[in-house]
Amino acid sequence: MLTTVRKATARIPRRLRLPLAGAVALAVAASGLTLAWPDEGGHLTANRAQLRRACGGLLPYGELAGRVPDAVRAKLDQYGTLLQPGEESRSLLNCTLDWQGHGGVHVEAATLVNHLPYELKTEDLLAPGHEAPGVTGRDSDDEGRLWVVAECPAGLTGRARPSTQMYVSVGMDKASVRTRFRIAVEVAAGIAEREHCGSAAALRPPTRVIDTYEEHDADGGPVDSGDYGSVRVEEPGRGIGKCRWMTARSRAGSAPLRGTWTATGDLQRSRLLSVCRAERWNDDRSAYTDPQPAPLEPVTADATSWAGDLGRSAYRDYERDGEYPGFDDRPDTLTDTDATLALWARSECAAGPTYHRVSVRPNLDEAMDGASRLSRTQRTQMSTHVRQLMKAYLSAPEGWPKAQHCHDTEVLGEVEQWT
């Protein structure tokens, strides 16, 4: 089309060329056609200026400026109450800045009046992933985006009621976990400062990120697919101090768990959540540790706490699956070896009302032969184990509840997680 225009104007007297060319251009525009030039560069300055303004100006420019391309123009899509005051939205911020073919960044922020769109159950908090000490949040290996939770003690305005906590999630192509953690924390700090609801200084970008589950071959290199014979696993959370109460050796029957245990915990150093798990299992021998557990004696134990609005979000995760006190009193007939008994409690702690959940999985290897029905004595024995575990958790000198000054605890009840 453009070549035809140039050839036509070459045969017209010079004094008439510009008006005719302009007329052709106007005709093209009037016809509804768009002459799209391919992106070939020259967009760096505009893209960096857009980066400064995008997402309410909350994106960390220093962290992202070096990633801005020159070859293409950025595409921005954003909404939220931080950008359109007075408009109803479930989000404080929902923003995508995309450089086609060169990656992009997506940031979402919302009060915890809204449900955190990531599972907060014990097993989810202990799944392989990445954590940053001093930051409440995770990047799980099986999820697409990283999330953090931050406090705003003076209150954020939510859709239904004020909230003192918010979550920020980040998805970004071709970026390290550390970079995504830093973006999330800086966005949260910016929101806290703009909303005058908390101290931005308390939210500091992490200096390090820890892989919670690392696999290596015998030489310390990466594990090739199918190379299961020489895998060495490193768990930085193994033996963490706040969980040592679970592995205390029995003295005059005072320990909460009999036998030899290995404990693992999260690395977040958070006042909003904590999780510990202990197992009576020897990985090297692929067998239970000595002495061998008796039938119905605990072989796995968990202890988890969630504070404030985060606690309500976690409790909803269990409610959705019918795993909360009072939902159902199941018959004491067990059909699989993963049957678990949990006990819930609620306390007042440093960060507000807090849910605690402890659970035990008893040794059912010898007891299971099809469906097995617990006797009243056996069911009482399981209840005793889980209640002793809760008591030990709440009173452990090095444990999370003591560190967070939890008090006025109310036991909410047991949950039979079996069918």
Side-chain angles (χ1 to χ4, degrees):
M1 179 73 176
L2 294 175
T3 302
T4 302
V5 171
R6 292 190 185 100
K7 288 182 178 178
T9 56
R11 296 193 296 269
I12 298 173
R14 184 182 299 275
R15 59 190 174 84
L16 299 177
R17 287 180 189 173
L18 290 177
L20 181 57
V24 171
L26 288 173
V28 170
S31 70
L33 298 176
T34 301
L35 301 180
W37 295 92
D39 284 314
E40 296 178 351
H43 303 293
L44 183 61
T45 299
N47 284 350
R48 285 186 171 173
Q50 185 180 51
L51 174 63
R52 288 190 183 278
R53 300 189 305 269
C55 308
L58 293 170
L59 294 177
Y61 182 82
E63 195 76 37
L64 296 175
R67 300 174 181 272
V68 174
D70 181 64
V72 297
R73 287 172 289 186
K75 180 181 178 181
L76 177 64
D77 183 17
Q78 59 181 350
Y79 64 89
T81 55
L82 283 174
L83 303 175
Q84 293 93 22
E87 292 190 12
E88 186 174 306
S89 174
R90 296 184 67 85
S91 292
L92 294 165
L93 177 68
N94 195 311
C95 176
T96 300
L97 184 60
D98 181 56
W99 305 290
Q100 188 173 7
H102 297 265
V105 57
H106 177 78
V107 176
E108 182 178 350
T111 67
L112 273 178
V113 167
N114 304 303
H115 184 58
L116 182 68
Y118 299 94
E119 291 284 313
L120 290 167
K121 288 186 174 183
T122 297
E123 57 266 30
D124 301 302
L125 296 174
L126 287 174
H130 295 82
E131 295 173 347
V135 177
T136 303
R138 297 194 96 240
D139 176 72
S140 296
D141 290 351
D142 59 350
E143 293 180 347
R145 283 188 287 170
L146 172 150
W147 60 267
V148 304
V149 170
E151 294 184 83
C152 264
L156 286 153
T157 302
R159 190 176 188 182
R161 58 179 173 80
S163 175
T164 59
Q165 293 176 1
M166 63 176 147
Y167 76 83
V168 177
S169 66
V170 173
M172 188 173 183
D173 300 329
K174 304 173 184 176
S176 67
V177 179
R178 179 178 178 273
T179 293
R180 287 185 283 130
F181 260 118
R182 292 177 68 86
I183 292 171
V185 171
E186 292 201 31
V187 168
I191 293 174
E193 184 175 15
R194 185 169 298 181
E195 296 294 293
H196 307 291
C197 64
S199 173
L203 294 165
R204 298 177 180 175
T207 57
R208 67 188 181 116
V209 171
I210 301 174
D211 189 338
T212 66
Y213 187 93
E214 297 178 303
E215 291 185 344
H216 308 279
D217 62 20
D219 298 322
V223 177
D224 295 329
S225 178
D227 183 17
Y228 300 113
S230 60
V231 175
R232 175 168 54 86
V233 175
E234 292 182 5
E235 294 179 274
R238 181 166 290 201
I240 193 168
K242 68 176 181 178
C243 303
R244 287 181 192 149
W245 61 274
M246 302 183 83
T247 62
R249 298 303 297 267
S250 178
R251 287 190 306 178
S254 61
L257 302 168
R258 192 181 78 91
T260 303
W261 293 73
T262 300
T264 303
D266 72 277
L267 302 162
Q268 299 176 48
R269 298 180 189 169
S270 170
R271 76 186 209 125
L272 301 181
L273 69 81
S274 175
V275 59
C276 292
R277 167 170 290 168
E279 295 181 304
R280 192 170 174 173
W281 186 258
N282 187 317
D283 286 330
D284 295 331
R285 294 172 51 194
S286 294
Y288 289 126
T289 57
D290 290 329
Q292 292 295 296
L296 295 181
E297 196 170 33
V299 291
T300 301
D302 300 320
T304 312
S305 296
W306 308 263
D309 293 332
L310 187 67
R312 283 184 283 271
S313 191
Y315 196 75
R316 283 197 293 267
D317 287 344
Y318 286 93
E319 278 185 318
R320 186 171 54 246
D321 294 332
E323 298 173 346
Y324 63 97
F327 172 75
D328 194 9
D329 186 14
R330 294 176 173 85
D332 292 331
T333 300
L334 310 183
T335 59
D336 62 75
T337 58
D338 290 329
T340 298
L341 182 65
L343 178 66
W344 285 83
R346 186 168 51 211
S347 301
E348 288 294 326
C349 303
T354 300
Y355 284 102
H356 310 288
R357 177 187 177 275
V358 301
S359 72
V360 295
R361 181 173 67 83
N363 176 21
L364 296 169
D365 291 349
E366 298 178 11
M368 296 299 299
D369 183 15
S372 296
R373 183 168 182 82
L374 296 173
S375 68
R376 180 174 296 181
T377 299
Q378 289 172 324
R379 178 62 179 82
T380 300
Q381 181 182 356
M382 290 177 64
S383 180
T384 299
H385 285 144
V386 78
R387 289 175 182 271
Q388 287 177 338
L389 186 67
M390 178 67 81
K391 181 179 179 180
Y393 177 48
L394 295 174
S395 62
E398 295 181 329
W400 187 90
K402 279 291 185 183
Q404 297 305 318
H405 310 290
C406 296
H407 58 92
D408 294 336
T409 299
E410 172 190 6
V411 175
L412 301 178
E414 296 178 3
V415 181
E416 299 160 335
Q417 293 183 208
W418 57 68
T419 55

Coordinates of all heavy atoms in Angstrom, one line a residue, residues 10-92:
A10 N 5.5 10.0 -7.3 CA 6.7 10.3 -8.1 C 6.3 10.8 -9.5 O 7.1 11.5 -10.1 CB 7.5 9.0 -8.2
R11 N 5.2 10.5 -10.0 CA 4.8 11.0 -11.4 C 4.0 12.3 -11.3 O 3.4 12.8 -12.3 CB 3.9 9.9 -12.0 CG 4.7 8.6 -12.3 CD 3.9 7.7 -13.2 NE 2.6 7.3 -12.6 CZ 2.5 6.1 -11.9 NH1 3.6 5.4 -11.8 NH2 1.3 5.8 -11.4
I12 N 3.8 12.9 -10.1 CA 3.0 14.1 -10.0 C 4.0 15.3 -9.7 O 5.0 15.1 -9.0 CB 2.1 14.0 -8.8 CG1 1.1 12.8 -9.1 CG2 1.3 15.2 -8.5 CD1 0.2 12.5 -7.9
P13 N 3.7 16.4 -10.3 CA 4.6 17.6 -10.0 C 4.8 17.8 -8.5 O 3.9 17.6 -7.7 CB 3.8 18.8 -10.6 CG 3.0 18.1 -11.7 CD 2.6 16.8 -11.2
R14 N 6.1 18.2 -8.2 CA 6.5 18.4 -6.8 C 5.5 19.2 -6.0 O 5.2 18.9 -4.9 CB 7.9 18.9 -6.7 CG 8.4 19.0 -5.3 CD 9.8 19.6 -5.3 NE 10.7 18.8 -6.1 CZ 11.4 17.8 -5.6 NH1 11.2 17.4 -4.3 NH2 12.2 17.1 -6.3
R15 N 5.0 20.3 -6.6 CA 4.1 21.3 -5.9 C 2.8 20.6 -5.5 O 2.1 21.2 -4.6 CB 3.9 22.5 -6.7 CG 3.3 22.3 -8.0 CD 3.3 23.6 -8.9 NE 2.8 23.3 -10.2 CZ 1.5 23.3 -10.5 NH1 0.6 23.6 -9.6 NH2 1.1 23.1 -11.8
L16 N 2.4 19.5 -6.2 CA 1.2 18.8 -5.9 C 1.3 17.6 -5.0 O 0.3 17.0 -4.6 CB 0.4 18.5 -7.2 CG 0.1 19.6 -8.1 CD1 -0.5 19.1 -9.4 CD2 -0.9 20.6 -7.4
R17 N 2.6 17.2 -4.8 CA 2.7 15.9 -4.1 C 2.2 15.8 -2.7 O 1.5 14.9 -2.3 CB 4.2 15.5 -4.1 CG 4.7 15.1 -5.5 CD 6.2 14.7 -5.5 NE 6.7 14.5 -6.8 CZ 8.0 14.3 -7.1 NH1 8.8 14.2 -6.1 NH2 8.4 14.1 -8.3
L18 N 2.6 16.8 -1.9 CA 2.2 16.7 -0.4 C 0.7 16.8 -0.2 O 0.2 16.0 0.6 CB 2.9 17.9 0.3 CG 4.4 17.7 0.5 CD1 5.0 18.9 1.2 CD2 4.8 16.4 1.2
P19 N 0.0 17.6 -0.9 CA -1.4 17.6 -0.6 C -2.1 16.3 -1.0 O -2.9 15.7 -0.3 CB -2.0 18.7 -1.5 CG -0.8 19.7 -1.6 CD 0.4 18.8 -1.7
L20 N -1.6 15.7 -2.2 CA -2.2 14.4 -2.6 C -1.9 13.3 -1.6 O -2.7 12.4 -1.3 CB -1.7 14.0 -4.0 CG -2.3 12.7 -4.6 CD1 -3.8 12.8 -4.6 CD2 -1.8 12.5 -6.0
A21 N -0.6 13.2 -1.2 CA -0.2 12.2 -0.2 C -1.0 12.3 1.1 O -1.4 11.3 1.7 CB 1.3 12.3 0.1
G22 N -1.2 13.6 1.5 CA -2.0 13.8 2.7 C -3.5 13.3 2.5 O -4.1 12.7 3.4
A23 N -4.0 13.5 1.3 CA -5.3 13.1 1.0 C -5.4 11.6 1.0 O -6.4 11.0 1.5 CB -5.8 13.6 -0.4
V24 N -4.4 10.9 0.5 CA -4.4 9.4 0.5 C -4.4 8.9 1.9 O -5.1 8.0 2.3 CB -3.2 8.9 -0.3 CG1 -3.1 7.4 -0.1 CG2 -3.4 9.2 -1.7
A25 N -3.6 9.5 2.8 CA -3.5 9.1 4.2 C -4.8 9.3 4.9 O -5.3 8.5 5.7 CB -2.4 9.9 4.9
L26 N -5.5 10.5 4.6 CA -6.8 10.7 5.2 C -7.8 9.7 4.8 O -8.7 9.2 5.5 CB -7.3 12.1 4.9 CG -6.5 13.2 5.6 CD1 -7.0 14.6 5.1 CD2 -6.8 13.2 7.1
A27 N -7.7 9.3 3.5 CA -8.7 8.3 2.9 C -8.5 7.0 3.6 O -9.4 6.3 3.9 CB -8.5 8.2 1.4
V28 N -7.2 6.6 3.9 CA -6.9 5.3 4.6 C -7.5 5.4 6.0 O -8.1 4.4 6.4 CB -5.4 5.1 4.6 CG1 -5.1 3.9 5.5 CG2 -4.9 4.8 3.2
A29 N -7.3 6.5 6.7 CA -7.8 6.6 8.0 C -9.3 6.5 8.0 O -9.9 5.9 8.9 CB -7.3 7.9 8.7
A30 N -10.0 7.2 7.1 CA -11.4 7.2 7.0 C -12.0 5.8 6.7 O -13.1 5.5 7.1 CB -11.9 8.2 5.9
S31 N -11.2 5.0 6.0 CA -11.7 3.7 5.7 C -11.6 2.7 6.8 O -12.1 1.6 6.8 CB -10.8 3.1 4.5 OG -9.5 2.8 5.0
G32 N -11.1 3.1 8.0 CA -11.0 2.3 9.2 C -9.8 1.4 9.2 O -9.6 0.6 10.1
L33 N -8.8 1.5 8.3 CA -7.6 0.7 8.3 C -6.6 1.4 9.2 O -6.5 2.6 9.3 CB -7.1 0.5 6.9 CG -8.0 -0.2 5.9 CD1 -7.4 -0.2 4.5 CD2 -8.3 -1.6 6.4
T34 N -5.7 0.6 9.8 CA -4.6 1.1 10.6 C -3.3 0.6 10.0 O -3.1 -0.6 9.8 CB -4.7 0.6 12.1 OG1 -5.9 1.0 12.6 CG2 -3.5 1.1 12.9
L35 N -2.4 1.5 9.7 CA -1.1 1.1 9.2 C -0.2 0.9 10.4 O 0.3 1.9 11.0 CB -0.6 2.2 8.3 CG -1.5 2.5 7.1 CD1 -0.8 3.6 6.2 CD2 -1.7 1.3 6.2
A36 N 0.0 -0.3 10.8 CA 0.8 -0.6 12.0 C 2.3 -0.9 11.6 O 2.6 -1.8 10.9 CB 0.2 -1.9 12.7
W37 N 3.1 0.0 12.2 CA 4.5 -0.2 12.0 C 5.1 -1.2 13.0 O 4.7 -1.2 14.1 CB 5.3 1.1 12.2 CG 4.9 2.1 11.1 CD1 3.9 3.1 11.2 CD2 5.5 2.3 9.9 NE1 3.9 3.8 10.1 CE2 4.8 3.4 9.2 CE3 6.6 1.7 9.2 CZ2 5.2 3.8 8.0 CZ3 6.9 2.1 7.9 CH2 6.2 3.1 7.3
P38 N 5.9 -2.1 12.6 CA 6.5 -3.1 13.5 C 7.4 -2.4 14.5 O 8.0 -1.4 14.2 CB 7.3 -4.1 12.7 CG 7.6 -3.3 11.4 CD 6.5 -2.3 11.2
D39 N 7.4 -2.9 15.8 CA 8.3 -2.4 16.8 C 9.8 -2.7 16.4 O 10.1 -3.9 16.3 CB 8.0 -2.9 18.2 CG 6.7 -2.3 18.7 OD1 6.6 -1.0 18.7 OD2 5.9 -3.0 19.3
E40 N 10.6 -1.7 16.3 CA 12.0 -2.0 15.9 C 13.0 -1.3 16.8 O 14.1 -1.2 16.5 CB 12.2 -1.5 14.5 CG 11.4 -2.3 13.4 CD 11.6 -1.8 12.0 OE1 12.2 -0.7 11.9 OE2 11.1 -2.4 11.1
G41 N 12.5 -0.8 18.0 CA 13.4 -0.1 18.9 C 13.0 1.3 19.1 O 12.0 1.9 18.6
G42 N 13.7 2.0 20.0 CA 13.4 3.3 20.4 C 12.4 3.5 21.4 O 11.8 4.6 21.6
H43 N 12.1 2.5 22.2 CA 11.0 2.6 23.2 C 11.5 2.6 24.6 O 10.7 2.7 25.6 CB 10.0 1.4 23.0 CG 9.4 1.3 21.7 ND1 8.5 2.2 21.2 CD2 9.6 0.3 20.7 CE1 8.1 1.8 20.0 NE2 8.8 0.7 19.7
L44 N 12.8 2.6 24.8 CA 13.4 2.4 26.2 C 12.9 3.6 27.1 O 12.5 3.4 28.2 CB 14.9 2.3 26.1 CG 15.6 2.1 27.5 CD1 15.1 0.8 28.1 CD2 17.1 2.1 27.3
T45 N 13.1 4.8 26.6 CA 12.7 6.0 27.4 C 11.3 6.0 27.8 O 10.9 6.2 29.0 CB 13.1 7.3 26.7 OG1 14.5 7.3 26.4 CG2 12.7 8.5 27.6
A46 N 10.4 5.7 26.8 CA 9.0 5.7 27.1 C 8.6 4.6 28.1 O 7.8 4.7 29.0 CB 8.2 5.6 25.8
N47 N 9.2 3.4 27.8 CA 8.9 2.2 28.7 C 9.3 2.4 30.1 O 8.6 2.0 31.1 CB 9.5 1.0 28.1 CG 8.8 0.4 26.9 OD1 7.7 0.9 26.6 ND2 9.4 -0.5 26.2
R48 N 10.5 3.1 30.3 CA 10.9 3.3 31.7 C 10.1 4.4 32.3 O 9.8 4.3 33.5 CB 12.4 3.7 31.7 CG 13.3 2.6 31.4 CD 14.8 2.9 31.5 NE 15.6 1.7 31.5 CZ 16.9 1.7 31.4 NH1 17.6 2.9 31.4 NH2 17.6 0.6 31.4
A49 N 9.6 5.4 31.6 CA 8.7 6.4 32.2 C 7.4 5.7 32.6 O 6.8 6.0 33.6 CB 8.5 7.5 31.2
Q50 N 6.9 4.8 31.7 CA 5.7 4.1 32.1 C 5.9 3.2 33.3 O 5.0 3.1 34.1 CB 5.3 3.2 30.9 CG 3.9 2.5 31.1 CD 3.5 1.7 29.9 OE1 4.3 0.9 29.5 NE2 2.3 1.9 29.5
L51 N 7.1 2.6 33.4 CA 7.4 1.8 34.6 C 7.3 2.6 35.9 O 6.7 2.1 36.9 CB 8.8 1.2 34.5 CG 9.3 0.4 35.7 CD1 8.4 -0.8 36.0 CD2 10.8 0.0 35.5
R52 N 7.7 3.8 35.8 CA 7.6 4.7 37.0 C 6.2 5.0 37.4 O 5.8 5.1 38.6 CB 8.4 6.0 36.8 CG 9.9 5.9 36.8 CD 10.5 7.3 36.8 NE 11.9 7.3 36.6 CZ 12.8 7.1 37.7 NH1 12.3 6.9 38.9 NH2 14.1 7.1 37.5
R53 N 5.3 5.1 36.4 CA 3.9 5.5 36.7 C 3.0 4.2 36.9 O 2.0 4.4 37.6 CB 3.3 6.3 35.5 CG 4.0 7.6 35.2 CD 3.3 8.3 34.1 NE 3.0 7.6 32.9 CZ 3.8 7.5 31.9 NH1 4.9 8.2 31.9 NH2 3.5 6.8 30.8
A54 N 3.4 3.1 36.3 CA 2.5 1.9 36.3 C 2.2 1.4 37.8 O 3.0 1.6 38.7 CB 3.2 0.8 35.5
C55 N 1.0 0.8 37.9 CA 0.6 0.2 39.2 C 0.7 1.2 40.3 O 1.1 0.9 41.4 CB 1.5 -1.0 39.5 SG 1.7 -2.2 38.2
G56 N 0.2 2.4 40.0 CA 0.1 3.5 41.0 C 1.5 3.9 41.4 O 1.6 4.6 42.5
G57 N 2.5 3.7 40.6 CA 3.9 4.1 41.0 C 4.5 3.3 42.1 O 5.5 3.7 42.7
L58 N 3.9 2.1 42.4 CA 4.4 1.3 43.5 C 5.4 0.2 43.1 O 6.1 -0.4 44.0 CB 3.2 0.5 44.1 CG 2.2 1.4 44.8 CD1 0.9 0.6 45.2 CD2 2.8 2.0 46.1
L59 N 5.7 0.0 41.8 CA 6.7 -1.0 41.4 C 8.1 -0.4 41.7 O 8.3 0.8 41.5 CB 6.6 -1.3 40.0 CG 5.3 -2.0 39.5 CD1 5.3 -2.2 38.0 CD2 5.2 -3.3 40.2
P60 N 9.0 -1.3 42.2 CA 10.3 -0.8 42.6 C 11.1 -0.5 41.3 O 11.6 -1.5 40.6 CB 10.9 -1.9 43.4 CG 10.1 -3.1 43.0 CD 8.8 -2.7 42.6
Y61 N 11.3 0.7 41.0 CA 11.9 1.1 39.7 C 13.4 0.6 39.6 O 13.8 0.0 38.6 CB 11.9 2.6 39.5 CG 12.5 3.1 38.2 CD1 11.8 3.1 37.1 CD2 13.9 3.5 38.2 CE1 12.3 3.5 35.9 CE2 14.4 3.9 37.0 CZ 13.7 3.9 35.8 OH 14.2 4.3 34.6
G62 N 14.1 0.7 40.7 CA 15.5 0.2 40.7 C 15.6 -1.3 40.5 O 16.6 -1.7 39.9
E63 N 14.7 -2.0 40.9 CA 14.7 -3.5 40.8 C 14.3 -3.9 39.3 O 14.8 -4.9 38.9 CB 13.7 -4.1 41.7 CG 13.9 -5.6 41.9 CD 15.0 -5.9 42.8 OE1 15.3 -5.2 43.8 OE2 15.7 -6.9 42.6
L64 N 13.6 -3.1 38.6 CA 13.0 -3.5 37.3 C 13.5 -2.7 36.1 O 13.4 -3.2 35.0 CB 11.5 -3.3 37.4 CG 10.7 -4.2 38.4 CD1 9.3 -3.9 38.4 CD2 11.0 -5.7 38.0
A65 N 14.1 -1.5 36.4 CA 14.5 -0.7 35.2 C 15.5 -1.4 34.3 O 15.3 -1.2 33.0 CB 15.2 0.6 35.7
G66 N 16.4 -2.3 34.8 CA 17.3 -3.0 33.9 C 16.6 -4.0 33.0 O 17.2 -4.6 32.1
R67 N 15.4 -4.4 33.3 CA 14.7 -5.4 32.6 C 13.8 -4.8 31.5 O 13.2 -5.6 30.7 CB 13.8 -6.2 33.5 CG 14.6 -6.9 34.6 CD 13.7 -7.6 35.6 NE 14.5 -8.3 36.6 CZ 14.9 -9.5 36.5 NH1 14.7 -10.2 35.4 NH2 15.7 -10.1 37.5
V68 N 13.7 -3.5 31.5 CA 12.8 -2.9 30.5 C 13.4 -2.9 29.1 O 14.6 -2.5 28.9 CB 12.5 -1.4 30.9 CG1 11.7 -0.7 29.8 CG2 11.8 -1.3 32.2
P69 N 12.7 -3.5 28.1 CA 13.3 -3.6 26.7 C 13.2 -2.3 25.9 O 12.3 -1.4 26.2 CB 12.5 -4.7 26.1 CG 11.1 -4.6 26.8 CD 11.4 -4.1 28.2
D70 N 14.0 -2.2 24.9 CA 13.9 -1.1 24.0 C 13.1 -1.5 22.7 O 12.5 -0.6 22.1 CB 15.3 -0.7 23.6 CG 15.3 0.5 22.6 OD1 14.9 1.6 23.1 OD2 15.8 0.4 21.5
A71 N 13.0 -2.8 22.4 CA 12.5 -3.2 21.1 C 11.0 -3.1 21.0 O 10.5 -3.0 19.9 CB 12.9 -4.6 20.9
V72 N 10.2 -3.2 22.1 CA 8.8 -3.2 22.0 C 8.2 -2.2 23.0 O 8.8 -1.8 24.0 CB 8.2 -4.6 22.3 CG1 8.7 -5.6 21.2 CG2 8.5 -5.1 23.7
R73 N 7.0 -1.8 22.6 CA 6.2 -0.9 23.6 C 5.5 -1.7 24.6 O 5.0 -2.8 24.3 CB 5.2 -0.1 22.8 CG 5.8 1.0 21.9 CD 4.8 1.7 21.0 NE 4.4 0.8 20.0 CZ 3.6 1.1 19.0 NH1 3.1 2.4 18.9 NH2 3.3 0.3 18.0
A74 N 5.5 -1.3 25.8 CA 4.8 -2.0 26.9 C 3.3 -1.9 26.8 O 2.8 -0.9 26.3 CB 5.3 -1.4 28.3
K75 N 2.7 -2.9 27.3 CA 1.2 -2.9 27.4 C 0.8 -2.9 28.9 O 1.3 -3.8 29.6 CB 0.6 -4.1 26.7 CG -0.9 -4.1 26.8 CD -1.5 -5.3 26.0 CE -3.0 -5.4 26.2 NZ -3.6 -6.6 25.5
L76 N 0.0 -2.0 29.3 CA -0.4 -1.9 30.7 C -1.9 -2.1 30.9 O -2.7 -1.5 30.2 CB 0.0 -0.5 31.2 CG -0.4 -0.1 32.7 CD1 0.4 -1.0 33.7 CD2 -0.1 1.3 33.0
D77 N -2.2 -3.0 31.9 CA -3.6 -3.2 32.3 C -3.7 -3.2 33.8 O -3.0 -3.9 34.5 CB -4.0 -4.6 31.7 CG -5.5 -4.9 32.0 OD1 -6.2 -3.9 32.3 OD2 -5.9 -6.1 32.0
Q78 N -4.5 -2.3 34.3 CA -4.5 -2.1 35.8 C -5.9 -1.6 36.3 O -6.6 -0.9 35.5 CB -3.4 -1.1 36.2 CG -3.5 0.3 35.6 CD -2.4 1.2 36.0 OE1 -1.6 0.9 36.9 NE2 -2.3 2.3 35.3
Y79 N -6.2 -2.0 37.5 CA -7.4 -1.5 38.2 C -7.2 -1.7 39.7 O -6.2 -2.3 40.1 CB -8.7 -2.2 37.7 CG -8.7 -3.6 37.9 CD1 -9.3 -4.1 39.1 CD2 -8.3 -4.6 37.0 CE1 -9.4 -5.5 39.4 CE2 -8.3 -5.9 37.3 CZ -8.9 -6.4 38.5 OH -8.9 -7.7 38.7
G80 N -8.2 -1.2 40.5 CA -8.1 -1.4 41.9 C -8.4 -0.1 42.6 O -8.3 1.0 42.1
T81 N -8.8 -0.2 43.9 CA -9.2 1.0 44.6 C -8.0 2.0 44.9 O -8.3 3.2 45.1 CB -9.8 0.6 46.0 OG1 -8.8 -0.2 46.7 CG2 -11.1 -0.2 45.8
L82 N -6.8 1.5 44.8 CA -5.7 2.4 44.9 C -5.5 3.3 43.7 O -5.0 4.4 43.8 CB -4.4 1.7 45.1 CG -4.1 1.1 46.5 CD1 -2.8 0.3 46.5 CD2 -3.9 2.2 47.5
L83 N -6.1 2.9 42.6 CA -6.0 3.6 41.3 C -7.2 4.4 41.0 O -7.2 5.5 40.4 CB -5.7 2.7 40.1 CG -4.4 1.8 40.3 CD1 -4.3 0.8 39.2 CD2 -3.2 2.7 40.4
Q84 N -8.4 3.8 41.4 CA -9.7 4.5 41.1 C -10.4 4.7 42.5 O -11.3 3.9 42.8 CB -10.5 3.7 40.2 CG -10.0 3.6 38.8 CD -9.1 2.4 38.5 OE1 -9.2 1.4 39.2 NE2 -8.2 2.4 37.5
P85 N -10.0 5.7 43.3 CA -10.7 5.9 44.6 C -12.2 6.0 44.4 O -12.7 6.7 43.5 CB -10.0 7.2 45.1 CG -8.7 7.3 44.4 CD -9.0 6.7 43.0
G86 N -12.9 5.4 45.3 CA -14.4 5.6 45.3 C -15.1 4.5 44.5 O -16.3 4.3 44.6
E87 N -14.3 3.7 43.7 CA -14.9 2.7 42.9 C -14.8 1.4 43.7 O -13.8 1.1 44.3 CB -14.2 2.5 41.5 CG -14.5 3.7 40.6 CD -14.0 3.4 39.2 OE1 -13.6 2.3 38.9 OE2 -13.9 4.4 38.4
E88 N -15.8 0.5 43.5 CA -15.9 -0.7 44.2 C -15.0 -1.8 43.5 O -15.1 -1.9 42.3 CB -17.3 -1.2 44.3 CG -17.5 -2.5 45.2 CD -18.9 -2.9 45.3 OE1 -19.7 -2.0 45.8 OE2 -19.3 -4.0 45.0
S89 N -14.1 -2.4 44.3 CA -13.3 -3.4 43.8 C -12.8 -4.3 44.9 O -12.7 -3.9 46.0 CB -12.0 -2.8 43.1 OG -11.1 -3.8 42.7
R90 N -12.6 -5.6 44.6 CA -12.1 -6.5 45.5 C -10.6 -6.4 45.7 O -10.0 -6.9 46.7 CB -12.4 -8.0 45.1 CG -13.9 -8.3 45.1 CD -14.1 -9.8 44.7 NE -13.6 -10.6 45.8 CZ -14.4 -11.0 46.9 NH1 -15.6 -10.5 47.0 NH2 -13.9 -11.8 47.8
S91 N -10.0 -5.6 44.8 CA -8.5 -5.5 44.9 C -8.1 -4.1 45.3 O -8.7 -3.1 44.9 CB -7.9 -5.8 43.5 OG -8.1 -7.1 43.2
L92 N -7.0 -4.0 46.1 CA -6.4 -2.7 46.2 C -5.6 -2.4 44.9 O -5.6 -1.2 44.5 CB -5.3 -2.8 47.4 CG -5.9 -3.0 48.8 CD1 -4.8 -3.4 49.7 CD2 -6.5 -1.7 49.3

